[in-house]
C-alpha cells in the first residue's frame, strides 16, 4: 500500500511533467525577401551544402569504409557478479548498459555495431527482459545463455525467433579462466556459470548455420547525437538549460566524479580525465575496494566513455516471482536522469513508453519540467545505467576536489535466491502486457520521488542504508579479497551472475 500511494502521487506528478515529452517534427526556415538586397550589392554566397548524414547508429560518428551497412546491431548479456570479473570484450562495446537484476547484483549488456569486431566476449549470462525491451525497437540480435521465463515470454509475444539466441551463440567453456581473486573452475573454487564465452567466429557460424536474418536498415541513431558534419561538440556549461535551476540546484553542475548506487551493495563510479575527455569506469568489490573495470581480452584495458547517462525509474520484484526475485523495470512512465560529459552533469528527462518505442532523452524547461526538445548527445561511446529510483538520493556528481579515490565503501554481497531459467516452451500462462499491468504500482518502495531528493557533493558522505534482514549476505566476506558467493543457489549453472 505504501508503494501504491507513493506511485499514484508520482504518476500524477510525472503525467504533468512528461506531458511535454514528445517528438517535435517542427522545422523552420529563413524568410526570403527578394527586395531587401540592393542591386549593386553582391548577394551573399549560399552556404556550402552538407553531405548526406551517414552516422554510426550507436555512436553518432561518421561511418567508416568498413561500416556494416544494412546489418543489425548485436547485444550480448555479460555476467557482472563479482566472481565473474574481469570480463572480456567490454571495451569493444559502442553502448554498455548496466541494470540491476536478482539479488541486488547488476548485469551488463554491451551493444555492438558489428558482431564481426567483437572478438571474444563473456562470461555470457542469461537474458532478462529489462535489457531486451531497450533493444527490441532496434530488432537487434540478442545473445545470452539461458533466460528468465519473463524474457522467454517476451520473445514469444514479439515473435523474435532466432534473433533471440539462448545458447550464448554456440558458446564454449573456459574452465581454466582465473578471476580477479585467483579462483578458477579447474581448481574447484569458481562456479561453472562464470566460464561461458563466445566470439565473433562462433556468432558468425550461428548466423550462417541457422540462416538468421541480419539485414536491417536504420533510419535514425540510437540517441539524438550532435551532427558530426558540423565539427562541433556540445559544451554542457553552455547548454540550452545551463542557466536553469530547480529546488535541487542547478540543472548543469560539476561532474568530474560520478558515483551510481544500483542497490545496497553494488556501485559504479566514473572519474573524468580532462586530458582524454573520457570517464574511467570503476566498480566496488566484495572487500569494499574500488577497482578499475577492465577488459581481460584487451590486455586489461580500462573501460572509458565520453558519455555517461544515468536514468532513474521504479524497479521492484515481479509479483508472483518473489522466490527468484525477478526484477521489473518501469519504462512506461519515463522520469528524471542525468547526462554527463566533459566533467559536467546535466539533469534531463527520459521517456520510452511501450516495449516497441525507442528510448528518448529531453532537455528541461526553465520551470524544471520536461521540454519537447530532444537532448543532444555528443558523438562517441556511451555508458547507460538504468537505476532504481529508491537510490536516487545516493547519486553523487561533483568536482574531484576533496574526493578520496582510495577510500573503501560498501562491501558487495548478493541476496539468496533461486535462479530463474526457463525450460524450452515454458510460458507465463499470460501475456507480458498482463504481467506488466500487474507489476505496475506493486512492491514496497523505500523512497519514491520524481527527482533525487538531494545531490551529494564531494565533501558530503552519501547516505548509507542498512540492508534489510532478508538481504543479509549469504556468507560473510572473508578478510582476503574474495567475492561472496551465493551458497543457496544450485552448484551447477543456477547462480545469477
Amino acid at each position: 500500500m505504501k508503494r501504491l500511494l507513493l506511485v499514484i502521487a508520482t504518476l500524477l506528478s510525472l503525467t504533468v511533467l512528461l506531458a511535454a515529452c514528445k517528438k517535435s517534427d517542427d522545422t523552420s526556415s529563413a524568410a526570403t525577401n527578394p527586395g531587401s538586397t540592393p542591386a549593386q550589392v553582391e548577394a551573399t554566397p549560399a552556404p556550402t551544402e552538407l553531405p548526406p548524414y551517414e552516422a554510426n547508429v550507436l555512436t553518432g560518428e561518421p561511418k567508416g569504409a568498413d561500416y556494416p551497412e544494412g546489418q543489425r546491431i548485436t547485444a550480448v548479456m555479460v555476467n557482472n557478479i563479482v566472481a565473474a570479473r574481469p570480463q572480456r570484450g567490454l571495451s569493444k562495446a559502442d553502448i554498455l548498459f548496466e541494470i540491476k537484476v536478482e539479488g541486488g547484483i547488476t548485469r551488463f549488456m554491451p551493444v555492438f555495431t558489428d558482431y564481426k569486431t567483437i572478438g571474444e566476449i563473456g562470461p555470457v549470462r542469461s537474458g532478462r527482459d529489462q535489457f531486451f525491451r531497450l533493444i527490441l525497437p532496434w530488432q537487434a540480435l540478442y545473445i545470452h545463455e539461458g533466460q528468465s521465463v519473463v524474457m522467454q515470454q517476451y520473445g514469444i509475444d514479439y515473435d523474435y525467433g532466432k534473433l533471440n539466441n539462448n545458447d550464448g551463440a554456440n558458446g564454449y567453456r573456459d574452465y581454466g579462466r582465473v578471476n580477479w581473486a585467483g579462483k578458477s573452475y579447474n581448481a574447484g573454487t569458481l562456479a561453472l556459470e562464470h566460464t561461458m564465452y563466445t566470439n565473433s567466429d562462433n556468432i558468425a557460424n550461428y548466423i550462417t548455420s541457422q540462416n538468421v536474418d541480419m539485414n536491417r536498415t536504420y533510419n535514425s541513431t540510437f540517441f539524438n547525437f550532435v551532427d558530426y558534419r558540423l565539427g562541433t561538440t556540445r559544451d554542457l556549461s553552455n547548454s540550452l538549460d545551463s542557466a536553469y535551476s530547480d529546488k535541487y540546484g542547478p540543472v548543469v553542475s560539476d561532474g568530474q566524479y560520478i558515483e551510481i548506487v544500483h542497490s545496497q551493495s553494488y556501485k559504479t563510479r566514473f572519474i573524468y580525465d580532462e586530458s582524454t575527455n573520457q570517464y574511467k569506469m570503476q566498480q566496488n568489490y566484495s572487500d569494499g575496494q574500488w577497482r578499475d573495470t577492465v577488459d581481460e581480452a584487451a590486455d586489461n584495458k580500462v573501460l572509458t566513455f565520453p558519455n555517461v547517462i544515468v536514468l532513474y525509474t521504479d524497479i521492484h520484484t515481479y509479483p508472483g516471482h518473489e522466490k527468484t526475485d525477478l526484477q521489473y523495470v518501469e519504462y512506461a512512465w519515463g522520469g528524471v536522469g542525468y547526462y554527463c560529459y566533459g566533467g559536467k552533469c546535466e539533469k534531463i528527462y527520459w521517456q520510452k513508453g511501450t516495449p516497441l518505442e525507442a528510448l528518448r532523452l529531453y532537455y528541461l524547461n526553465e520551470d524544471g519540467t520536461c521540454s519537447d526538445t530532444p537532448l543532444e548527445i555528443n558523438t562517441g561511446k556511451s555508458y547507460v545505467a538504468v537505476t532504481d529510483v529508491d537510490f536516487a538520493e545516493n547519486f553523487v556528481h561533483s568536482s574531484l576536489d576533496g574526493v578520496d579515490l582510495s577510500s573503501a565503501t560498501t562491501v558487495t554481497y548478493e541476496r539468496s535466491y533461486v535462479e530463474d531459467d526457463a525450460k524450452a516452451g515454458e510460458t507465463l500462462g499470460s501475456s507480458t502486457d498482463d504481467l506488466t499491468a500487474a507489476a505496475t504500482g506493486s512492491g514496497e518502495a523505500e523512497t519514491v520521488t520524481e527527482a533525487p531528493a538531494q545531490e551529494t557533493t564531494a565533501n558530503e558522505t552519501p547516505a548509507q542504508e542498512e540492508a534489510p534482514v532478508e538481504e543479509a549476505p549469504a556468507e560473510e566476506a572473508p578478510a582476503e579479497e574474495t567475492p561472496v558467493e551465493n551458497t543457496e543457489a544450485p552448484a551447477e549453472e543456477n547462480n545469477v551472475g
Side-chain angles (χ1 to χ4, degrees):
M1 179 60 71
K2 172 183 171 185
R3 174 182 284 272
L4 184 58
L5 292 174
L6 289 170
V7 164
I8 289 172
T10 303
L11 272 172
L12 291 173
S13 299
L14 288 176
T15 299
V16 175
L17 292 172
L18 297 175
C21 280
K22 58 183 181 297
K23 291 183 179 178
S24 175
D25 297 323
D26 294 341
T27 58
S28 61
S29 60
T32 302
N33 184 350
S36 62
T37 303
Q40 68 271 23
V41 178
E42 291 186 8
T44 303
T48 303
E49 186 176 339
L50 292 174
Y53 182 69
E54 296 181 350
N56 181 306
V57 67
L58 297 179
T59 68
E61 297 168 322
K63 296 176 180 177
D66 56 351
Y67 188 82
E69 194 66 57
Q71 178 181 289
R72 296 180 193 272
I73 59 176
T74 298
V76 184
M77 291 304 301
V78 174
N79 203 336
N80 190 41
I81 199 168
V82 176
R85 302 172 187 167
Q87 296 92 343
R88 299 174 190 169
L90 296 182
S91 67
K92 299 286 187 68
D94 293 311
I95 301 178
L96 180 66
F97 288 95
E98 182 176 9
I99 311 176
K100 182 171 69 171
V101 291
E102 300 91 309
I105 69 174
T106 65
R107 191 163 292 172
F108 288 142
M109 182 180 70
V111 187
F112 305 88
T113 304
D114 187 2
Y115 68 88
K116 302 182 190 73
T117 64
I118 293 174
E120 187 177 33
I121 188 164
V124 180
R125 208 58 181 100
S126 54
R128 293 293 180 265
D129 68 282
Q130 56 264 52
F131 295 92
F132 177 68
R133 285 183 282 155
L134 290 170
I135 59 169
L136 176 58
W138 302 89
Q139 296 290 287
L141 173 63
Y142 184 46
I143 296 172
H144 47 89
E145 183 207 9
Q147 58 190 347
S148 70
V149 67
V150 177
M151 174 58 230
Q152 183 153 287
Q153 189 68 50
Y154 265 98
I156 295 169
D157 287 0
Y158 289 92
D159 194 24
Y160 220 63
K162 293 178 181 177
L163 288 173
N164 181 33
N165 174 266
N166 194 28
D167 70 349
N170 301 320
Y172 51 88
R173 299 285 179 186
D174 182 354
Y175 297 108
R177 68 81 48 119
V178 178
N179 75 355
W180 69 278
K183 293 186 174 184
S184 72
Y185 179 81
N186 280 344
T189 54
L190 187 66
L192 185 65
E193 62 265 22
H194 307 319
T195 63
M196 173 65 77
Y197 294 87
T198 191
N199 58 40
S200 294
D201 289 341
N202 284 35
I203 295 171
N205 288 338
Y206 165 75
I207 292 169
T208 301
S209 65
Q210 298 299 312
N211 196 26
V212 179
D213 180 10
M214 287 297 288
N215 296 315
R216 182 76 177 182
T217 299
Y218 297 109
N219 57 14
S220 64
T221 52
F222 199 96
F223 295 119
N224 178 41
F225 290 105
V226 172
D227 191 335
Y228 70 84
R229 297 173 299 176
L230 302 178
T232 59
T233 299
R234 188 166 77 84
D235 181 359
L236 271 58
S237 299
N238 297 316
S239 175
L240 292 176
D241 50 11
S242 58
Y244 301 161
S245 294
D246 60 17
K247 61 182 179 180
Y248 305 107
V251 169
V252 177
S253 52
D254 290 332
Q256 293 176 318
Y257 178 83
I258 303 165
E259 185 172 313
I260 305 161
V261 178
H262 301 277
S263 69
Q264 288 164 324
S265 59
Y266 268 60
K267 294 181 179 181
T268 305
R269 75 180 185 182
F270 293 87
I271 301 164
Y272 179 64
D273 183 349
E274 187 175 5
S275 66
T276 62
N277 195 33
Q278 298 273 334
Y279 282 97
K280 180 175 74 171
M281 181 176 178
Q282 295 185 332
Q283 293 178 283
N284 69 311
Y285 277 66
S286 52
D287 57 358
Q289 300 299 316
W290 292 100
R291 288 181 175 82
D292 292 341
T293 304
V294 301
D295 183 348
E296 189 177 44
D299 294 327
N300 290 318
K301 177 182 179 181
V302 179
L303 268 59
T304 60
F305 302 87
N307 299 312
V308 174
I309 300 168
V310 185
L311 308 176
Y312 284 102
T313 192
D314 184 36
I315 303 178
H316 61 270
T317 306
Y318 271 111
H321 295 270
E322 289 78 11
K323 182 179 180 181
T324 52
D325 194 33
L326 279 181
Q327 296 291 291
Y328 168 69
V329 177
E330 179 60 75
Y331 287 129
W333 302 344
V336 171
Y338 290 86
Y339 169 50
C340 302
Y341 177 89
K344 296 289 183 182
C345 282
E346 175 178 33
K347 189 177 292 183
I348 64 173
Y349 275 98
W350 66 271
Q351 191 177 49
K352 185 181 186 316
T354 68
L356 286 173
E357 290 182 281
L359 176 67
R360 302 188 298 275
L361 310 179
Y362 294 90
Y363 290 102
L364 270 63
N365 285 317
E366 189 171 1
D367 62 359
T369 58
C370 181
S371 76
D372 62 357
T373 305
L375 185 82
E376 283 191 304
I377 299 295
N378 285 306
T379 60
K381 296 185 176 186
S382 301
Y383 164 92
V384 182
V386 180
T387 309
D388 197 335
V389 72
D390 288 354
F391 297 96
E393 65 182 8
N394 300 88
F395 179 63
V396 179
H397 65 93
S398 69
S399 69
L400 280 170
D401 295 339
V403 176
D404 183 0
L405 298 178
S406 64
S407 63
T409 54
T410 304
V411 174
T412 298
Y413 63 86
E414 295 80 42
R415 274 188 301 189
S416 297
Y417 58 91
V418 177
E419 162 78 346
D420 185 72
D421 192 7
K423 298 178 178 63
E426 182 181 358
T427 67
L428 285 169
S430 63
S431 71
T432 50
D433 285 345
D434 292 336
L435 182 65
T436 298
T440 302
S442 64
E444 190 66 26
E446 296 171 6
T447 306
V448 177
T449 59
E450 62 219 46
Q454 68 178 44
E455 296 160 14
T456 309
T457 63
N459 296 320
E460 296 174 332
T461 302
Q464 298 295 319
E465 302 182 32
E466 292 186 4
V469 174
E470 69 270 19
E471 295 191 2
E475 61 180 57
E476 293 185 2
E480 296 180 355
E481 297 180 356
T482 306
V484 178
E485 295 288 350
N486 184 350
T487 57
E488 295 190 11
E492 294 287 316
E493 299 190 81
N494 283 328
N495 223 5
V496 162

